[in-house]
Amino acid sequence: MVRNSLFSVLRFLVLLPLPLLVVPFMLGKLGDERFGVWAIVALFTSYTQLADFGMGLALTKYVAEFAAQKQWQRLDMALNTVFFFYLVVGLSLATLVLLGRHFLAGLVPQISPALTQEIATVIGIAALTFAVNLTLGAFNSTLQGLQRMDLTNLTALANGIGLYLGIVAVLALGGGLVGMAVLSLVLAVASGAFNGVMTQRLAPGLRLRWRTFDAGYLRSVLSYSLNIQGGALTELLFDPLSKLVITRFLGVALVTQYEVGQRIITQLRGLFAVAFLPLFPGVSHLHAEREQQAVQMIYQRSSRYVYLLGWPAYLLLIITAPWLLTAWLGQGYAQAAFVMRLMTCGWFVSLVAFPPYMILQALGLAHLCLRAHVVQGLTNLVLALLLVGPFGFVGITVAAFVALVIGSSLVLVAFAQTLQLSGAALARLVPWRAVGLALGSGAGLFLVLTRLPQVTLLTLAALAAAYAAVYAGLLLAQGVVSQSDRRLIRSLWPARRGL
């Protein structure tokens, strides 16, 4: 699990500067209106997870179990069943979207007929990208179940670099939204094909054969995966809903403010999400062997690093938000800074609940996660509609924050009840000294920022490095870093891993 997490972190560090460099270029070439349109269409292409009936994570879970038990024939059956299921669902939904692309484009208000036609073309290409991502996603899930996230991270890294560099080339050549959509389709095909080749090499007996499709297995998996699917569906009532409500009531231009405010948070969330994703196949393996004490130990370790590493990183964004956006994009993004600060607070609460969320699903208790998703989604829907009238953009952001905190809290409560942990036991796992040291380091950073006449990206990078160095020094000086922490760091050093 540690090796997989390391590759995830390396991928994040390589991709981190790319959006910082490319987004200003995109805004300059596309303008607020078209950039907002691209953000909405990008949401559509990310909805692959909503059409997989939760079977992506289910496939990862069962592949991990079958591989541990060396049941290769069952693994072959699982992959083929999910692949051909995805193929039928993907092609069916893509056909429906292609037929209705002009209707969907017409739902975007206050735009010119030419832009409406352009959006219809982009939606059509995005529908094909959707089908490709869904179908070939079976290989990605299989590689994760085989605990080869180093390979899936390599694919994602190449895809990310290709996307950002390709966007620059496409926009420089005047390709616009349509060119960017074609680029996304090409990258989807390439990354899916690579994952397919790697899967076949790791398990040479695996072949795509329609005869291996097992309807009985599909029905049994659906009983588990539909709870995951339900959670994914209710995600439609969260971030995507906020953008759609903004578009409907306030105009598509303000989607840019919301999207920019969430952009860097999304990168940071992605880092910790992929870092903790190995918990899922790892805990699935332990659960199959009835190693419940080991599951608790994994939670304790992951929770500790949420606070040791996650809290100072999220706090850095909260503190620097207005200076970062001004240095990055210039003046005029005060609303985006508000989004970044408030939602970073909410997403940290979500990060605290993320290891319990993954562990609950690995233990086969996805219905508890679904319950939290439903409450979170409904809360966001009701509050957004209630607050958009009197408070506008601020009201929609506050609605998302409150809903996120409530949903994350429900996951923590369900996890504590499952493992029979009290609230006091959970609180004792928090390294409070580290939390306080991060706050002290952050306070010093804030005071420095308020006294600087001008802040550039280079200045922020230097201050962030100093903040990290001060925080790390305080952790060592106060004895917060334990012997187990030191052993883990040494195990990650390349020379010690024989790399």
Side-chain angles (χ1 to χ4, degrees), residues 265-294:
I265 308 172
T266 301
Q267 293 286 332
L268 190 58
R269 285 169 50 208
L271 165 65
F272 287 99
V274 296
F276 288 123
L277 187 59
L279 288 174
F280 185 74
V283 172
S284 295
H285 178 85
L286 293 173
H287 180 57
E289 297 183 341
R290 302 184 183 279
E291 296 283 352
Q292 298 306 310
Q293 186 174 3

Side-chain angles (χ1 to χ4, degrees), residues 410-490:
L410 289 176
V411 170
L412 287 169
V413 170
F415 177 77
Q417 292 174 344
T418 300
L419 269 66
Q420 298 181 336
L421 298 172
S422 65
L426 292 178
R428 284 195 296 271
L429 295 176
V430 178
W432 292 108
R433 278 193 296 170
V435 172
L437 292 174
L439 283 171
S441 303
L445 173 63
F446 179 78
L447 290 175
V448 171
L449 285 169
T450 57
R451 283 162 171 74
L452 291 177
Q454 183 178 4
V455 177
T456 65
L457 287 177
L458 185 60
T459 304
L460 284 171
L463 290 174
Y467 163 80
V470 169
Y471 172 68
L474 290 173
L475 288 181
L476 292 171
Q478 295 296 315
V480 178
V481 179
S482 66
Q483 288 299 320
S484 62
D485 298 326
R486 296 173 191 269
R487 285 194 296 271
L488 178 61
I489 294 171
R490 287 195 295 268

